[in-house]
Amino acid sequence: MAMPLKDRIQGILLSMPTINDEEHNLLTDRQRAHLRWLIDRGFKEGSGVLLIAGGMGEGYFLDDNEWYTLTDLLAEEAQGKVATGVGIFELSARRAASKARYAANAGIDCIQMGPPHYLLPNEQEVFDHYKYVNDAADIGIVAYNTPWAMPNPGFDFSHGLLDRFATLEHMVGIKWSTSDYRQFLRMIHVLGDRLNFFDNNRIFTHGARIGSKGFTDFLGNVAPRLSLKKWELVSHGRFDECDEMESRLEFNPAAKEIGPEGMPAAGMGEGPVARMMLRALGMDTGPAFPAQVSQPPSVVEAYMRFVQASGILQWVDWDQTIFDGLPATKR
């Protein structure tokens, strides 16, 4: 019997990179090889969701044909072996609904959808945006709270809005982060039985201890053993072990080796940071899409110090030679 959708859309929400050449053409054979490698390395139904065209995957900067290509590619490779998601970031509810229908017809399980932003939307407009897509497409929706992506003072999902989201038929989860940590924890505690919260704050296992159903991740693209181990610990309630691992591998080295001068610079997209991180861990995915600015040398050097000090390399199984001999198929 097939697992209910809400039970499938939990675990590790792994945002995958978009792999492209120097002219930003998609390298679909390499993208397929990476997807197959992730599935072979243990990503399967119940352990998480493989997300393509998300923020880390240049979702804001893809043209429509590129988005369609990546959506089809993910659906073809997953074939029900692992839950799948695709990012949608549209100001127009009609465009978002059109993409959601396309993803549903392709066989994708859910969309990760950001709220609309141009001017600052009000709460009714945000709800109506999600409801329009909910009513138009038979596909799970993970709403992405992105207060940093709005004009000042920013838009944050309120308790009332989340409560209304929970009434939508296809709303299965929230990619959840907020600057108010009390609000972050409170919403998981109050609404965690109605919505699957994916912890996007990642302050150890605080969210999981009170009911979040998963967490966002990026390191799993090259170190799937590490991501899957964390999920194993969290899903079995072994929170202290997970916290100790994260402190030893990520929190302490980052605090000591990166520091305030070495933090990634703010920009209009996540591509430069994501690609810098992967490159430091042995995976070259090509340059970020224009007109995002690359990280300065001081940040790259600080991140390399973190990588060397953290011990994360012991968990990295990615081998760039997997791409050797593949035709540079461009789309």
Side-chain angles (χ1 to χ4, degrees), residues 183-201:
Q183 173 77 347
F184 173 80
L185 295 174
R186 186 182 301 116
M187 291 304 94
I188 296 173
H189 181 66
V190 173
L191 294 169
D193 60 335
R194 300 170 65 193
L195 296 165
N196 289 351
F197 283 86
F198 288 91
D199 186 343
N200 198 34
N201 267 29

Side-chain angles (χ1 to χ4, degrees), residues 51-235:
L51 174 73
I52 212 159
M56 291 286 190
E58 307 276 10
Y60 284 94
F61 303 96
L62 299 169
D63 68 30
D64 284 351
N65 287 333
E66 290 165 342
W67 187 92
Y68 297 141
T69 295
L70 291 173
T71 299
D72 290 339
L73 188 152
L74 176 59
E76 291 164 7
E77 293 300 327
Q79 291 291 319
K81 296 186 286 287
V82 61
T84 54
V86 60
I88 294 180
F89 309 97
E90 296 286 346
L91 173 61
S92 163
R94 293 182 302 154
R95 288 293 304 137
S98 176
K99 285 187 171 182
R101 284 192 295 267
Y102 187 95
N105 291 335
I108 297 295
D109 294 300
C110 71
I111 58 172
Q112 174 190 286
M113 188 164 71
H117 57 277
Y118 164 54
L119 300 177
L120 184 64
N122 62 48
E123 196 161 279
Q124 186 63 48
E125 289 171 326
V126 171
F127 177 76
D128 287 347
H129 184 86
Y130 282 93
K131 186 177 187 305
Y132 189 95
V133 175
N134 175 85
D135 294 348
D138 186 13
I139 192 169
I141 301 172
V142 175
Y144 188 6
N145 194 39
T146 58
W148 57 84
M150 299 290 182
N152 288 333
F155 184 92
D156 220 343
F157 292 166
S158 70
H159 186 170
L161 182 58
L162 290 169
D163 195 60
R164 296 179 74 189
F165 279 166
T167 67
L168 298 177
E169 178 185 3
H170 300 302
M171 185 70 72
V172 294
I174 307 293
K175 187 174 179 181
W176 185 228
S177 178
T178 177
S179 59
D180 182 344
Y181 203 61
R182 286 182 179 272
Q183 173 77 347
F184 173 80
L185 295 174
R186 186 182 301 116
M187 291 304 94
I188 296 173
H189 181 66
V190 173
L191 294 169
D193 60 335
R194 300 170 65 193
L195 296 165
N196 289 351
F197 283 86
F198 288 91
D199 186 343
N200 198 34
N201 267 29
R202 298 295 291 129
I203 301 180
F204 298 108
T205 59
H206 294 175
R209 289 173 190 264
I210 61 171
S212 66
K213 299 300 192 298
F215 53 85
T216 61
D217 187 66
F218 185 66
L219 291 175
N221 283 294
V222 291
R225 283 187 298 120
L226 177 58
S227 300
L228 291 166
K229 181 63 176 179
K230 288 181 181 179
W231 174 240
E232 176 191 343
L233 295 175
V234 167
S235 62

